[in-house]
Amino acid sequence: MDGHENEQHRTGDETSPEHGRARRFPAWRPGHRLRRLGVVLAVLAVTLGGIVVGTYAGGHVGTDIGPFRAELRLSPSLSGGTTVDIPPLGALLLDSHDGPAYLTVEVGSLDQGRTEALIGDPASISRASQSAVQDVRDGVMRLGLRTLASVVLATLLLAALVFRDVRRTAWAGGLALVVTAGSLGAAASTLRPQAIEEPRYEGLLVNAPAIVGDARRIANDYTKYAEQLQRLVGNVSKLYTTVSALPVVQPSPGTTRVLHVSDIHLNPTGWQLIRTVVEQFGIDVVIDTGDMTDWGSEPEASFVGSIGLLKKPYVFIRGNHDSPRTAAAVAQQPNAIVLNNSITTVGGLTIAGIGDPRFTPDKETSPAGSGLTSAVADQVIGAGEKLDATIEKSPRKVDIALVHDPASAGPLSGACPLVLSGHTHNRQVSKLPQAEGEQPTTLMVQGSTGGAGLRGLEGEKPTPLTMTVLYFDEQKLLQAYDDITVGGTGQSQVNLERHVIRDPAKGDEVPVTPTPTRGPSESPSPGTTTLSPTPTS
């Protein structure tokens, strides 16, 4: 009986009015309200965490912009904006939009297949330039959709791990979708296309007065460059036609073909032209007499990666714009040889070379390092004397000597039959002053294979891209050379001029060039002349 009564009593408790009121109005309890608030805050926290994780994990996409490969990335931000990374020059910062999304565009290297397609069909460069805007638009759309999907997925996974509740997980996923879509929509609605006309510069672009100091004029020149790019690329095909129409030098089986380049100054177009000439002319060795970069900085070191694509021995000496870091980056290329008061034998040719003793990357702030003052003359002449001493000690006969500044060539008269240099951005061929009984020495100064880089845009007339193909016979004497010139920015002509040397043992019939001496206090070397300071271009 007692058990039955107790059971009835418990049953009566469950149906009592007081118990019924407690079951009908649980939300009014203070503890329950706090619990619901905690759940809402937890859902918000998990949602925000999922948005951040999803954006960083999936908010990136690769896209093709013409022949370039670009990486687009989104990241959370309070103010919005866009950064365009252009290795190795630096970055452009654009106030492109507002909102909690920041866009980063990293322009990569040229795609080999698409670049070769452009070279094979010059008309396609026009189509590529017209589709560039659409390429960017499509890339941004894919980036937005990919980011949205990544955010929702990351939020759902995170919520499922935290709550282990289907309804709360669904709420977190839906909230992430709304917040992310709203953020992207806000950024799109505040888009300012005109922001590209007022960029801010970072990295090497800031350190280049030639770029930042007159940005508007150079921007106009680049517009002109874009308009003429089709013609410039078309010149490569024209170069093939020009070469095929020339009277071909009939070399003996032992002939060695050398391509002399210099002063590329970070111009990627120079690499494209070098590759074309290497393939078309069957080049055996490429010789670079320096100034591959502009400031010799670490980001610029990535520019040397195109050396490996040539798949030919690449002999390099450092110019006054190349730092030891640049030389080290070149030396890491599998086919590169860096000379610094040293000698190598490649392609059957014995080559001696020395780097420029100066490092003057900014000509605007260091004119004394670039102009041929008496102090600078002592430096560059001293480099030539060091190389001359190295050549004298060599058990092998040196066929070619390499210096960056032609002012270093004077002490090398009679040391070897040919000296190659660059630095002046002005192509010249001459004889070094010759002492009685010495062998004649020809000095060949190369122009700028990169059209002096961005500095080539400063003058009224653009600096042309130049290089020379040298033909050496079985005795390793120069028997002929082809001077190749491609018009600079805004110009489209290609010129190839062949020179055949009638007597390779005596060299070409060219005038004798005066060379600088150390100064009036010292006795000048035979046949030398003291020069007044001559700044380089």
Side-chain angles (χ1 to χ4, degrees):
M1 288 293 293
D2 291 342
H4 181 68
E5 289 176 356
N6 290 338
E7 184 176 349
Q8 288 181 341
H9 181 71
R10 286 194 299 270
T11 304
D13 288 343
E14 290 178 359
T15 58
S16 65
E18 292 80 1
H19 185 76
R21 283 193 298 271
R23 291 288 300 273
R24 289 179 60 189
F25 306 106
W28 295 105
R29 291 183 179 178
H32 194 78
R33 289 198 301 270
L34 291 176
R35 183 171 177 271
R36 281 198 169 184
L37 179 61
V39 170
V40 171
L41 293 177
V43 170
L44 288 175
V46 169
T47 300
L48 291 177
I51 291 174
V52 173
V53 172
T55 301
Y56 281 110
H60 55 83
V61 66
T63 187
D64 297 330
I65 303 177
F68 292 94
R69 186 69 181 172
E71 182 79 13
L72 279 63
R73 295 192 301 274
L74 274 178
S75 57
S77 171
L78 296 177
S79 57
T82 299
T83 294
V84 181
D85 287 325
I86 312 174
L89 295 179
L92 301 178
L93 278 67
L94 308 176
D95 187 16
S96 58
H97 63 274
D98 299 325
Y102 196 90
L103 175 63
T104 301
V105 180
E106 183 173 348
V107 179
S109 59
L110 285 168
D111 180 85
Q112 181 177 349
R114 292 194 301 274
T115 303
E116 291 176 351
L118 291 179
I119 294 174
D121 180 15
S124 63
I125 195 68
S126 177
R127 296 192 297 270
S129 62
Q130 293 172 1
S131 64
V133 176
Q134 185 62 38
D135 291 341
V136 174
R137 185 181 292 112
D138 292 344
V140 172
M141 287 293 295
R142 288 193 294 112
L143 176 64
L145 293 175
R146 179 187 175 96
T147 303
L148 198 61
S150 177
V151 163
V152 172
L153 179 60
T155 304
L156 289 174
L157 291 175
L158 186 61
L161 290 174
V162 173
F163 298 123
R164 301 183 183 277
D165 182 89
V166 174
R167 186 171 61 179
R168 294 175 185 176
T169 300
W171 271 106
L175 185 59
L177 176 64
V178 171
V179 171
T180 306
S183 300
L184 296 177
S189 64
T190 58
L191 184 64
R192 291 182 289 272
Q194 69 276 12
I196 197 171
E197 299 176 1
E198 300 177 351
R200 300 191 308 275
Y201 297 92
E202 276 190 353
L204 296 176
L205 297 179
V206 174
N207 298 326
I211 303 172
V212 180
D214 201 0
R216 186 175 300 277
R217 178 171 60 81
I218 289 181
N220 293 336
D221 287 337
Y222 261 116
T223 301
K224 188 177 181 182
Y225 178 75
E227 294 171 354
Q228 299 294 336
L229 188 56
Q230 179 179 350
R231 296 184 186 179
L232 188 62
V233 175
N235 287 338
V236 177
S237 298
K238 188 176 179 182
L239 179 62
Y240 295 158
T241 305
T242 304
V243 173
S244 63
L246 285 171
V248 179
V249 172
Q250 299 295 337
S252 61
T255 295
T256 304
R257 297 173 177 87
V258 174
L259 178 62
H260 178 205
V261 302
S262 189
D263 297 84
I264 300 177
H265 285 293
L266 290 178
N267 190 346
T269 305
W271 285 127
Q272 178 181 329
L273 189 59
I274 290 172
R275 286 186 59 195
T276 300
V277 173
V278 165
E279 295 172 2
Q280 179 68 16
F281 285 74
I283 297 298
D284 299 301
V285 181
V286 180
I287 290 178
D288 187 337
T289 48
D291 276 1
M292 182 179 293
T293 60
D294 260 338
W295 295 277
S297 63
E298 185 173 355
E300 291 174 283
S302 62
F303 183 74
V304 310
S306 295
I307 293 175
L309 300 177
L310 300 177
K311 299 179 181 179
K312 298 291 182 180
Y314 195 97
V315 183
F316 174 81
I317 61 168
R318 189 177 58 81
N320 61 297
H321 281 258
D322 301 317
S323 67
R325 183 184 292 112
T326 304
V330 173
Q332 290 178 357
Q333 301 303 308
N335 56 323
I337 301 169
V338 178
L339 297 179
N340 191 15
N341 198 24
S342 54
I343 300 175
T344 186
T345 299
V346 58
L349 293 167
T350 300
I351 306 171
I354 189 170
D356 197 289
R358 303 159 294 176
F359 179 51
T360 56
D362 190 347
K363 292 183 179 179
E364 296 293 327
T365 58
S366 300
S370 297
L372 192 57
T373 63
S374 59
V376 172
D378 285 347
Q379 283 185 293
V380 295
I381 293 172
E385 292 171 344
K386 288 180 181 179
L387 186 60
D388 179 58
T390 300
I391 293 174
E392 285 186 1
K393 297 175 184 177
S394 172
R396 296 167 291 175
K397 175 181 174 293
V398 172
D399 302 305
I400 309 172
L402 310 181
V403 293
H404 177 64
D405 193 327
S408 299
L412 297 170
S413 177
C416 59
L418 179 63
V419 178
L420 302 181
S421 71
H423 185 63
T424 64
H425 305 167
N426 183 27
R427 176 193 279 151
Q428 287 183 334
V429 179
S430 58
K431 287 283 185 64
L432 290 176
Q434 179 183 353
E436 186 176 353
E438 287 184 345
Q439 65 172 325
T441 300
T442 300
L443 171 63
M444 302 186 75
V445 183
Q446 188 57 266
S448 173
T449 307
L454 293 173
R455 288 183 174 89
L457 300 172
E458 293 178 340
E460 294 182 2
K461 293 184 178 181
T463 303
L465 284 68
T466 65
M467 58 185 64
T468 301
V469 179
L470 309 171
Y471 301 90
F472 293 87
D473 60 18
E474 290 183 338
Q475 286 73 41
K476 309 309 175 187
L477 295 174
L478 185 65
Q479 61 174 328
Y481 59 94
D482 292 333
D483 285 333
I484 301 173
T485 305
V486 178
T489 304
Q491 297 184 357
S492 59
Q493 74 276 7
V494 172
N495 186 37
L496 191 150
E497 186 176 355
R498 174 157 294 161
H499 304 267
V500 178
I501 299 174
R502 304 305 173 189
D503 188 351
K506 295 181 179 179
D508 208 357
E509 295 297 327
V510 292
V512 175
T513 182
T515 58
T517 61
R518 285 186 173 274
S521 60
E522 297 184 12
S523 300
S525 301
T528 60
T529 305
T530 301
L531 293 182
S532 58
T534 304
T536 61
S537 58

